[in-house]
Structure formats: structure tokens, C-alpha cells
Amino acid sequence: MTIIVTGGAGFIGSNFIFYMLKANPDCRIVCLDKLTYAGNLSTLASVMKKPNFRFVKADICDREAVDRLFAEEKPDVVVNFAAESHVDRSIEDPGIFLETNILGTQVLMDACRKYNVKRFHQVSTDEVYGDLPLDRPDLFFTETTPIHTSSPYSASKASADLLVMAYHRTYGLPVTISRCSNNYGPYQFPEKLIPLMIANALNDKPLPVYGEGLNVRDWLYVEDHCKAIDLILRGGKIGEVYNIGGHNEMRNIDIVKLICKELGKPETLITHVTDRKGHDMRYAIDPTKIHAELGWLPETKFADGIVKTIRWYLANRPWWEEIVSGEYQNYYRKMYETR
Ligand code: NAD
Ligand code: TYD
């Protein structure tokens, strides 16, 4: 079985490749990635020489390149992780989000139709459901919660989801969609909350918490996410959406304090900065469907996963130090200097 994994040089895609090559040693994985600022070939170093792995640098929006790859590989399955994924960047400049996240998904699905791919799996996000109020802890996102987006990022992901369902209904494309909560773990780009706070704390730099830091996210350890996608590929129903997450809600401020504690750094590093525009208050997933149909539940408790993650960043300093010493500095200045 050949699986094309798009965006496999990024955070979740790379973890998925590692997971699949271990859990399903008979499968062949072809990673298609444009290597944007978020893609890092060094992340894939450990699998690069495997005979059942191939890396191809290409843009999912490039129809010719995508067609050529599908003609060569005749994939059975396509899992689409490739995306512009950072909300703050989408607020600064939405255009590339619409191109990659919507049009790129269309290009991939057109190729899937042409080459009769048996499954197109779209990796989506719980952010398509908008947010929940803090004073209603009884509310959770289910697969039937209406789509109601806040940021250009989430609007682009929701648009792609609608297009995926349209390709299923109109052309009979065999699709599945997963909508997961916030992932954390090894190889996450240090623009996102957890790795940014770990890297800053280790460098004794201020820890920029947006607003009061009371926003709640439902944290999903990346390996649990990869397992869930594998289960959906094996047993998920065509044309269905599966939410992935649950039971790990945390406030931003508590996470940042926990990171300070684990690293032995003072909480005085915490700096409250101007809030994100349109900032979603709370995300919380009800995983009943994926649990009932596929037997999946998150296995990693946040208290354990965060310690594993901090240890990984401590043990792999060259990986993130190289990132934060390059172009990232310009990004950081632009986003945080006047915040
Ligand atoms: P990431 O930003 O770490 O990685 C994205 C990868 O996609 C990079 O390797 C990048 O080079 C590649 N890419 C970007 N544009 C491309 C293009 N046009 N063509 C080919 N490759 C391209 O993202 P991530 O955090 O690993 O997220 C992966 C997927 O999961 C995304 O679709 C994202 O929307 C979704 N998601 C992420 C989270 C999270 O917490 N990180 C939560 C919910 C959903
Ligand atoms: P992020 O990791 O960007 O994920 P998302 O926006 O998809 O949830 O942010 C997680 C939360 O952390 C979000 O509420 C915004 C907040 N945050 C900060 O307070 N400071 C930061 O520097 C960043 C990057 C995020």
C-alpha cells in the first residue's frame, strides 16, 4: 500500500510518518512537501534512507507536479496535512492560507479522482467549529456542531472541509475528514504556544501570554492523533467526519506556569501582551463518535505529555535552536516587539 503524506516535513505530518513506518512496516510512504518556513527536512533525517520512504519537494497547488507524482506512485491513500497552520500569520496575511489550504486541497482531490485513489483523508481542525464560552463547561464540539469560524486560518480550513464533502457527494470521491484539537509534542515549530514558551524560557526571554491567558485549549499528544488517523484510514466510514481530542482542557496561563516550574524558571518571565484579534476562548472536543466506532480515546494525559515534550526540547536543542536563530527572528520581532 502506498500512502502520499502531504506536509510530512511539518510537525504532525512528520510524527505521522514515523508512526506509520513503525506501526505498518509494509506500507510505502511518499512525503510531498513544499518546505515552507514550517517544513524541515532535518526532521525526516531518520527515515530518509528507508527503502519504503520517498521525499518529494513540491507545492500541493502545483497541478503538474502533483499529477506527475500521482502518475509515478499510483497511491492507494492520500493524507493531507499540508497547510499554512498558524492563526497569527493568517491574521497578518490571509492570502497564502486560501491558496494552500483551499486550492491546494482541490488540486490534490482532482488528482485523487484522476488516479482512482481509494481514500483521501483531510486533516482538519476543531477551529472550524468556532469557540465555546468559558462559563459553559458542559458544552463540547461534536461532528454536528455548526461550522462557525473566527480567523482566516479556520475559515480556510472550513472551506476546504466543505470542498472535500462536495467532492464526495458530487463525484463520489472516497473521503474522510478528521478535526483534531491542539496538538503538542516533538518537532512542533516554535511559533506555537508550547514550543515557543519552552524555547523562550530556556533562553530566559519574556513569555508573551496573550491577554489574561484564560483561553482554554483541549491538548492532544501528537502520537495519539497519529493513532487516530491510522484507525480512521483502516475503519473509518467514507464520507464521515471524526473529531479527535478530549479530556485535556487547559488554560494558557496554567500551561506557561507549568513550563516555568518544570524548567526551574521564575514566573516573572511571564509578560501579558495585547490579545490576539478575534481570539477564540475555548475549544473542547467530544470524542464519543471515534471512541464508539473505532475504539479510540486519547491515551496521554496532559501532565505526562507536557513533561515528555519538555524533555524532548531539552534533548534536541540543535533542532529548534537552528530555527529560532534564522528567519524566525524577523517573524518574532514583527509579531512581538510592538505587541
Ligand atoms: P506545520 O505548519 O508544522 O506543517 C505544515 C507542513 O506543510 C510544512 O512541512 C510545510 O512545509 C508544508 N506545506 C505548507 N504549504 C505547503 C504547500 N503549499 N505544499 C506542500 N506542502 C506545504 O503544521 P502542523 O501543525 O503539522 O499541522 C498539520 C495539519 O494539521 C494542518 O493541516 C493543520 O491545519 C492541522 N491541524 C494542526 C493542529 C495543531 O495543533 N498543530 C491542530 C488542528 C489541525
Ligand atoms: P497556538 O499555539 O497559536 O494555537 P491555536 O491558536 O491554534 O490555538 O496558540 C494556543 C493558545 O496560546 C492561543 O489561545 C493563543 C495563545 N498564545 C499566547 O498566549 N502567546 C503566544 O505567544 C502564542 C503563540 C499563543
Side-chain angles (χ1 to χ4, degrees):
M1 143 124 78
T2 296
I3 306 178
I4 290 186
V5 176
T6 69
F11 165 46
I12 309 174
S14 61
N15 278 282
F16 180 72
I17 289 171
F18 302 146
Y19 177 82
M20 290 299 278
L21 287 172
K22 221 183 200 169
N24 308 287
D26 295 338
C27 74
R28 171 173 165 75
I29 302 268
V30 179
C31 171
L32 184 164
D33 198 297
K34 184 182 173 184
L35 296 180
T36 67
Y37 78 92
N40 199 331
L41 210 45
S42 75
T43 300
L44 294 171
S46 66
V47 295
M48 224 50 180
K49 291 210 171 80
K50 280 190 183 284
N52 55 344
F53 178 76
R54 177 182 174 198
F55 178 82
V56 177
K57 182 175 187 294
D59 186 336
I60 58 166
C61 300
D62 180 344
R63 247 173 219 285
E64 271 177 36
V66 168
D67 192 275
R68 211 176 312 126
L69 184 65
F70 277 59
E72 280 169 21
E73 292 289 347
K74 306 272 182 331
D76 302 286
V77 172
V78 174
V79 184
N80 183 27
F81 291 94
E84 287 295 331
S85 69
H86 192 37
V87 172
D88 292 324
R89 286 184 193 255
S90 83
I91 294 168
E92 287 294 302
D93 186 7
I96 185 73
F97 284 73
L98 310 192
E99 281 167 34
T100 290
N101 299 2
I102 308 171
L103 298 177
T105 301
Q106 184 212 355
V107 169
L108 290 172
M109 289 195 296
D110 285 341
C112 287
R113 287 182 63 208
K114 182 169 169 191
Y115 292 94
N116 290 318
V117 168
K118 293 190 209 72
R119 178 76 70 85
F120 176 78
H121 182 75
Q122 174 72 357
V123 179
S124 185
T125 168
D126 62 358
E127 298 190 28
V128 302
Y129 300 121
D131 65 349
L132 298 163
L134 287 182
D135 61 358
R136 289 294 305 274
D138 55 314
L139 295 180
F140 297 90
F141 298 137
T142 72
E143 289 77 0
T144 55
T145 300
I147 286 188
H148 183 83
T149 56
S150 311
S151 70
Y153 162 70
S154 55
S156 70
K157 294 295 288 184
S159 306
D161 284 10
L162 293 175
L163 202 57
V164 171
M165 294 318 269
Y167 267 57
H168 172 60
R169 168 129 184 199
T170 308
Y171 306 117
L173 189 72
V175 305
T176 39
I177 295 177
S178 54
R179 294 180 179 148
C180 64
S181 53
N182 287 57
N183 283 223
Y184 67 109
Y187 296 109
Q188 187 166 28
F189 194 87
E191 66 187 351
K192 303 278 167 53
L193 178 75
I194 290 178
L196 183 144
M197 295 299 170
I198 296 172
N200 280 17
L202 286 170
N203 288 327
D204 298 306
K205 285 176 62 178
L207 306 177
V209 170
Y210 299 166
E212 294 300 306
L214 302 179
N215 309 65
V216 170
R217 300 291 184 261
D218 184 355
W219 293 92
L220 173 64
Y221 192 64
V222 65
E223 201 179 10
D224 283 339
H225 183 194
C226 297
K227 273 185 203 168
I229 294 176
D230 189 16
L231 284 173
I232 295 169
L233 293 179
R234 289 158 183 275
K237 289 196 195 116
I238 299 297
E240 292 285 319
V241 174
Y242 292 90
N243 284 354
I244 309 176
H247 311 307
N248 277 303
E249 286 181 50
M250 291 284 294
R251 299 190 312 178
N252 295 341
I253 188 71
D254 296 329
I255 293 181
V256 179
K257 285 183 178 168
L258 194 64
I259 290 171
C260 289
K261 190 164 161 246
E262 285 296 326
L263 292 175
K265 298 291 181 181
E267 286 184 11
T268 49
L269 284 177
I270 295 173
T271 320
H272 290 274
V273 299
T274 311
D275 210 347
R276 176 185 277 172
K277 292 189 181 89
H279 200 171
D280 283 336
M281 275 323 291
R282 172 174 168 251
Y283 302 143
I285 280 201
D286 174 354
T288 303
K289 179 173 175 180
I290 191 166
H291 179 56
E293 285 188 23
L294 303 173
W296 181 90
L297 273 180
E299 287 168 27
T300 312
K301 291 201 168 59
F302 187 79
D304 302 326
I306 191 71
V307 172
K308 272 207 264 186
T309 303
I310 291 172
R311 287 202 188 127
W312 186 88
Y313 280 87
L314 280 170
N316 292 275
R317 282 186 88 121
W319 182 87
W320 59 267
E321 274 175 345
E322 171 144 357
I323 293 170
V324 301
S325 67
E327 175 56 28
Y328 179 83
Q329 299 238 339
N330 293 333
Y331 165 81
Y332 200 87
R333 264 194 298 276
K334 185 172 162 206
M335 298 305 251
Y336 292 94
E337 216 164 56
T338 55
R339 196 158 191 146

